[in-house]
Amino acid sequence: MREILIVGGGYAGFYTAWGLEKTLCEDEARITVVDPRPYMTYQPFLPEVTAGSVEARHAAVSLRRHLRRTRLIAGSAVEIRHADRSVTVRPASGADYQLSYDTLVVTAGAVTRTFPIPGLAQEAIGLKHVEEAVAIRDRLMTAFDQAASLPPGAERRRLLTVTFVGGGFSGVEGFGELLSLATALLKSYRELSMDDLSFHLVEARGRILPEVGDGPGAWVVRSLERRGARVHLNTQLVSAEDGHVVLSDGEEFDSALIVWTAGNASNPVVHNHTDLPVDERGLLVVRPDLRVGTADEPVPDVWAAGDDAAVPDLASPVPGARTVPNAQHAVRQGKRLAKNIAADLHGGRVRDYRHSSLGVVATLGLGRGIFQYKRLVIKGLPAWLMHRGYHVLAVPTWERKIRVLAVWLTAALFGRDLVSLASVQHPRDAFVAGGAQQESGGREASDRTAA
């Protein structure tokens, strides 16, 4: 039986395994997926998770529930040696071990790109995983509770100051959704006003949302600023030590919540720990049919897709263009991968990957969005409805579609659920504190009895 090993259970890995299950017979191959998380994160929903518009669990698609014929291994691939046909896996606990394979699929996914900025590692949080989105939401809502009990001043201002670094889709959508949540929260906190809020979006380039045109990008900036936000273009984060933000334009302020969304970097196993060919950016060299290698030197039995693969964009008029790392491409590359691997095993025709963009759409908060397809630009509520419609169709499985729709319909009738569960990030605190109080009370009672 052929061993097919898939490194990474994100979009491309999930859809590759799902497609292979539907295409291959059980006795043809054993499919294995290696990923540290037991679910695929539907990342376009993460901004709405931060705003409470989508339940956190609904942005996570269980691998075990939907990949019923696939062996799932909870661990990280730390080394790929195709010369030995082996992958070294590091589990959550225990020693590293090796897995052998006949066919390898690399869909490890990118990691958050960071820089050696003072205080960044200690103070900032990313927006790439469900846990991070939940933590961002809970931190903001907890900050509102704390600020409401304080008089106007520096500490209240610090608690209600939010800083996003990075003006790509993830940063702008997360920023817009969190600003929408904060504005909605003010209705429940009579002690606070819009003047207490301070939202900053920091972008090193001269514009945000590079995937859309200059005009739509400028409109988004104006829209955010009309809602009370500050957008710092051509500006970099210089320092964030102890939550004190210093920007390259000279502005300084204290911020209780700092979110870093300034781009992706290739997965370390691809960039540094493999004998497979990579380009100058640390991405796997991939042919149009998603095989690793070049037209002249293909690597046998190795395929790749997603954020860590430099896949030629055959639909682009620009020579040498590569597909951009987004969900649109990753999902479709995963589906094409499954078909190509099955065709290769069955002696059929392997096809090149080609996909023309369906346009780009972004949410900017409840009832606000922007859509662009070539020269067609749609703004405001219609674009926001298009965003929701597209993603509820794109999220895998009917079960997830129905759950997300149910939450949206409930919110339309009753509003968003404005409850913070930040304490779940420290589940033992109440237990430990209760035990300490009981022990202290017992000592005091003994002292009184002895006296």
Side-chain angles (χ1 to χ4, degrees):
M1 183 180 294
R2 193 168 187 84
E3 293 283 349
I4 301 177
L5 178 58
I6 301 173
V7 176
Y11 293 116
F14 173 80
Y15 277 96
T16 300
W18 210 17
L20 288 173
E21 284 192 355
K22 298 173 183 177
T23 308
L24 301 179
C25 298
E26 288 191 48
D27 58 354
E28 281 189 273
R30 181 167 71 164
I31 307 164
T32 301
V33 171
V34 176
D35 196 279
R37 289 178 170 80
Y39 56 82
M40 183 204 81
T41 302
Y42 190 73
Q43 292 186 351
F45 277 160
L46 293 186
E48 293 202 65
V49 171
T50 66
S53 299
V54 171
E55 288 289 336
R57 288 173 297 172
H58 300 168
V61 179
S62 170
L63 298 179
R64 196 166 295 276
R65 178 170 182 175
H66 300 290
L67 301 179
R68 303 194 177 182
R69 286 173 40 203
T70 298
R71 179 174 60 152
L72 300 173
I73 295 179
S76 301
V78 294
E79 187 176 29
I80 297 173
R81 291 297 167 203
H82 187 59
D84 304 324
R85 301 256 174 160
S86 70
V87 171
T88 302
V89 176
R90 179 164 298 161
S93 60
D96 295 357
Y97 61 92
Q98 291 187 333
L99 291 175
S100 59
Y101 61 83
D102 298 304
T103 299
L104 176 66
V105 181
V106 184
T107 54
V111 297
T112 301
R113 179 184 62 183
T114 59
F115 298 98
I117 298 172
L120 179 65
Q122 294 76 25
E123 300 295 335
I125 185 170
L127 185 52
K128 200 170 184 63
H129 301 291
V130 174
E131 302 93 329
E132 294 172 324
V134 172
I136 291 169
R137 177 176 183 267
D138 286 343
R139 286 190 187 185
L140 178 70
M141 298 184 74
T142 300
F144 264 77
D145 286 331
Q146 295 171 348
S149 63
L150 295 174
E155 181 60 13
R156 176 191 276 192
R157 187 74 172 174
R158 182 190 71 83
L159 287 169
L160 299 180
T161 297
V162 175
T163 306
F164 271 65
V165 183
F169 258 83
S170 179
V172 171
E173 289 190 313
F175 185 79
E177 285 287 348
L178 207 64
L179 178 59
S180 177
L181 173 61
T183 305
L185 283 171
L186 289 175
K187 299 175 184 178
S188 301
Y189 290 83
R190 298 179 182 177
E191 306 91 338
L192 305 176
S193 69
M194 195 67 192
D195 292 337
D196 293 309
L197 297 182
S198 183
F199 272 66
H200 298 262
L201 176 62
V202 181
E203 169 54 46
R205 293 166 292 191
R207 52 163 300 176
I208 62 174
L209 294 179
E211 295 87 350
V212 304
D214 291 342
W219 177 85
V220 172
V221 171
R222 293 194 300 270
S223 175
L224 292 172
E225 290 179 338
R226 282 195 299 267
R227 294 161 60 188
R230 290 281 308 281
V231 180
H232 305 261
L233 299 178
N234 295 310
T235 304
Q236 297 178 348
L237 177 66
V238 175
S239 175
E241 289 186 295
D242 298 321
H244 183 70
V245 173
V246 180
L247 303 180
S248 60
D249 62 4
E251 189 163 350
E252 300 185 25
F253 51 86
D254 291 326
S255 181
L257 178 57
I258 302 172
V259 183
W260 178 268
T261 62
N264 296 322
S266 62
N267 195 290
V269 69
V270 170
H271 193 279
N272 301 316
H273 304 291
T274 182
D275 56 357
L276 298 173
V278 297
D279 65 10
E280 66 282 356
R281 297 174 297 167
L283 303 178
L284 288 169
V285 177
V286 177
R287 305 185 341 164
D289 61 4
L290 303 180
R291 296 178 192 265
V292 171
T294 64
D296 298 328
E297 296 183 30
V299 179
D301 300 317
V302 184
W303 309 74
D307 293 352
D308 284 323
V311 180
D313 189 353
L314 301 183
S316 172
V318 180
R322 298 290 185 263
T323 59
V324 296
N326 62 20
Q328 246 189 78
H329 283 297
V331 169
R332 289 167 175 79
Q333 287 170 9
K335 293 178 178 180
R336 172 48 53 196
L337 257 180
K339 293 176 181 177
N340 279 358
I341 293 171
D344 186 56
L345 294 180
H346 295 156
R349 180 184 174 187
V350 174
R351 299 177 183 273
D352 289 345
Y353 171 76
R354 179 190 292 269
H355 172 65
S356 297
S357 174
L358 301 175
V360 291
V361 62
T363 174
L364 304 174
L366 196 63
R368 300 176 175 90
I370 187 165
F371 168 82
Q372 181 176 10
Y373 176 69
K374 297 182 179 179
R375 294 186 178 181
L376 174 64
V377 178
I378 300 175
K379 306 170 184 175
L381 179 62
W384 177 77
L385 291 173
M386 292 173 68
H387 176 273
R388 286 205 160 183
Y390 172 78
H391 285 299
V392 80
L393 290 174
V395 68
T397 80
W398 280 103
E399 171 244 347
R400 276 292 176 268
K401 299 179 198 294
I402 293 170
R403 288 182 186 275
V404 170
L405 275 174
V407 172
W408 283 344
L409 291 174
T410 304
L413 292 173
F414 304 108
R416 284 184 282 205
D417 193 343
L418 303 180
V419 176
S420 170
L421 295 176
S423 58
V424 301
Q425 297 171 40
H426 307 282
R428 296 188 67 252
D429 285 359
F431 173 75
V432 173
Q437 289 174 1
Q438 288 183 9
E439 184 178 347
S440 176
R443 283 199 303 265
E444 290 176 2
S446 298
D447 291 343
R448 288 196 298 270
T449 301

